[in-house]
């Protein structure tokens, strides 16, 4: 047996014991996504950071035709051994994951990995090298003519809102312009999981608000690269959603909060980034924590506002009126997405992802699939 095949065999055995799962989350499937994340953690798996890092592709929810096509492209990028599946309804995530993990170590999957090439050669019908879009030319801010690439971020990215696509024009890795759209769900979109409505009990509304903020904090911390703190936010979120007494969760939240607020590195990579002044927030219709954030109104301020409100709600304070992002009648996530997109030009890609995560638009909200008000690329 060749060294390459022996290496693939070791990889298959390791992957079967610690699956790296890339989630394709459909709009409207937040509850299923949370269940799937919990099942994955219970089985010792981890979220993959890219297709190259994944051996399992898992669609969560009912995918529309456009999202299915995106999932197929992503599937072609998994190196193998690889398996894929669908979590289409509640109570199925653990069973689906167990079956997929068992398949990973099978002889069939090992053979599939051994037969696949490690490189991809474009066919004669593909004009762009490697299948990438061709570049245009445009002047940058210094008057130099640089290549301009049209790049779509999403809808399949780790720690990314479900079904969101941000179409960008890039010079180097700097965003020149951007527009956003949310892929429509296959079924009619109902109320957001995070905002159960005024008829829900106060405890349920408080719990969903705290869990929503913790979910947003986990996404933002993951995008900034602090996976340890993000895992802490996920653990706290899951305890709230499991119905644990809020005071008990708060006792552990507070030292975690101090650790996050005390990080100089986190402050360094979020300060003065994505500044949304109060006048601009009013102009764009932004509400919720993003509008209540204190000066300097940047990513770090929005992060702190989530921390402050989570602490208060876990301590028994009433949840904010309307929901964790603002009044539902005002389509808060559409406004949040519009504000984020307006701030993207001039940012590097990593900064752009951080700014978007700091607004945390919820694609499940009614009206969230309304195009964001931004200039066309």
């Amino acid at each position: 047996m060749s060294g390459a095949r022996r290496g693939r065999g070791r990889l298959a055995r390791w992957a079967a014991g610690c699956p790296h799962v890339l989630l394709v989350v459909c709009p409207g499937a937040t509850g299923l996504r949370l269940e799937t994340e919990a099942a994955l953690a219970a089985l010792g798996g981890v979220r993959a950071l890219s297709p190259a890092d994944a051996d399992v592709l898992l669609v969560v929810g009912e995918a529309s035709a456009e999202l299915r096509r995106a999932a197929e492209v992503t599937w072609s990028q998994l190196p193998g051994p690889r398996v894929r599946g669908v979590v289409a309804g509640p109570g199925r995530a653990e069973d689906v994951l167990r079956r997929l993990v068992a398949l990973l170590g099978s002889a069939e999957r090992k053979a599939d990995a051994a037969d696949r090439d490690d490189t991809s050669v474009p066919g004669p019908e593909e004009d762009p090298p490697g299948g990438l879009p061709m570049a245009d030319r445009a002047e940058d801010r210094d008057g130099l003519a640089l290549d301009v690439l049209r790049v779509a971020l999403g809808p399949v990215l780790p720690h990314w809102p479900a079904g969101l696509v941000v179409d960008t024009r890039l010079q180097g890795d700097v965003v020149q312009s951007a527009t956003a759209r949310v892929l429509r769900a296959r079924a009619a979109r109902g109320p957001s999981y995070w905002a159960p409505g005024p008829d829900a009990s106060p405890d349920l509304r408080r719990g969903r608000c705290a869990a929503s903020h913790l979910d947003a904090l986990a996404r933002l911390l993951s995008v900034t690269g602090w996976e340890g703190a993000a895992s802490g936010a996920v653990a706290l979120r899951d305890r709230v959603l499991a119905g644990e007494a809020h005071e008990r969760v708060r006792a552990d939240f507070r030292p975690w909060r101090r650790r996050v607020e005390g990080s100089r590195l986190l402050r360094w990579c979020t300060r003065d980034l994505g500044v949304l002044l109060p006048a601009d927030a009013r102009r764009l219709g932004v509400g919720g924590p993003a509008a209540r954030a204190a000066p300097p109104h940047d990513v770090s301020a929005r992060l702190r506002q989530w921390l402050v409100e989570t602490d208060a709600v876990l301590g028994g304070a009433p949840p904010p009126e309307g929901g964790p992002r603002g009044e539902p009648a005002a389509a808060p996530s559409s406004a949040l997405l519009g504000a984020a997109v307006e701030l993207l030009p001039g940012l590097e890609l990593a900064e752009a992802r951080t700014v978007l995560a700091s607004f945390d638009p919820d694609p499940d909200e009614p009206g969230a699939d309304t195009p964001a008000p931004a200039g066309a690329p």
Side-chain angles (χ1 to χ4, degrees):
M1 179 184 294
S2 70
R5 294 213 171 190
R6 282 195 300 272
R8 287 192 179 104
R10 287 193 295 269
L11 176 63
R13 288 191 295 273
W14 176 82
C18 181
H20 282 50
V21 180
L22 188 62
L23 298 183
V24 181
V25 183
C26 304
T30 295
L32 287 181
R33 190 255 299 175
L34 295 168
E35 177 188 327
T36 302
E37 288 180 0
L40 178 61
L43 293 175
V46 296
R47 293 278 299 269
L49 300 179
S50 68
D53 179 47
D55 38 66
V56 179
L57 184 72
L58 191 58
V59 176
V60 179
E62 296 186 62
S64 63
E66 191 172 1
L67 192 52
R68 284 199 302 272
R69 289 193 293 272
E72 284 297 326
V73 172
T74 304
W75 170 249
S76 71
Q77 298 169 347
L78 269 66
R82 56 180 189 160
V83 293
R84 60 177 167 176
V86 178
V87 176
R92 303 177 187 175
E94 183 173 349
D95 180 60
V96 170
L97 281 168
R98 286 188 182 279
R99 288 190 286 108
L100 291 175
V101 170
L103 279 173
L104 265 181
S106 69
E108 178 185 355
R109 301 299 166 178
K110 293 176 185 177
D112 171 68
D115 291 339
R116 299 185 73 213
D117 290 334
D118 292 331
T119 58
S120 175
V121 180
E125 74 284 356
E126 294 182 288
D127 292 328
L132 293 174
M134 293 296 287
D136 299 322
R137 297 285 250 182
E139 286 191 359
D140 75 350
R141 301 181 183 198
D142 297 321
L144 301 175
L146 297 177
D147 288 344
V148 177
L149 283 175
R150 298 175 184 269
V151 176
L153 304 178
V156 183
L157 280 174
H159 313 298
W160 184 257
L164 176 64
V165 179
V166 177
D167 296 301
T168 66
R169 291 174 71 244
L170 303 179
Q171 285 184 318
D173 65 347
V174 176
V175 177
Q176 300 300 308
S177 63
T179 58
R181 54 195 169 95
V182 176
L183 304 186
R184 295 188 180 275
R186 183 175 177 182
R189 185 178 276 111
S192 167
Y193 175 89
W194 299 118
D199 296 334
S201 70
D203 278 349
L204 177 60
R205 291 171 56 223
R206 277 197 297 270
R208 289 291 173 88
C209 180
S212 175
H213 288 352
L214 287 164
D215 189 64
L217 285 160
R219 183 176 293 111
L220 177 55
L221 291 167
S222 291
V223 169
T224 62
W226 196 0
E227 287 294 343
S231 297
V234 168
L236 292 163
R237 177 202 71 189
D238 290 348
R239 289 169 61 186
V240 173
L241 292 175
E244 188 170 339
H246 290 175
E247 280 298 332
R248 290 181 57 186
V249 179
R250 190 186 191 204
D252 292 328
F253 168 80
R254 286 192 150 184
W256 177 86
R257 174 187 173 181
R258 288 194 294 271
R259 179 185 173 208
V260 170
E261 289 183 319
S263 171
R264 293 183 180 180
L265 181 58
L266 182 62
R267 287 197 301 274
W268 176 81
C269 67
T270 58
R271 69 187 178 193
D272 301 326
L273 183 63
V275 174
L276 181 71
L277 296 175
D280 292 321
R282 289 191 294 271
R283 171 176 59 85
L284 294 166
V286 171
R292 294 189 288 268
H297 309 292
D298 57 3
V299 170
S300 61
R302 291 189 285 276
L303 183 151
R304 284 195 301 273
Q305 188 66 28
W306 281 330
L307 292 170
V308 168
E309 294 190 10
T310 301
D311 200 343
V313 169
L314 290 176
E321 288 295 325
R325 290 167 183 80
E327 181 57 48
S333 285
S334 180
L336 290 168
L337 184 53
V341 169
E342 187 170 294
L343 293 169
L344 297 188
L347 300 180
E348 296 180 359
L349 274 178
E351 294 173 330
R353 288 205 61 186
T354 300
V355 168
L356 178 63
S358 75
F359 284 97
D360 193 42
D362 179 9
D364 291 3
E365 285 182 357
D369 54 4
T370 302

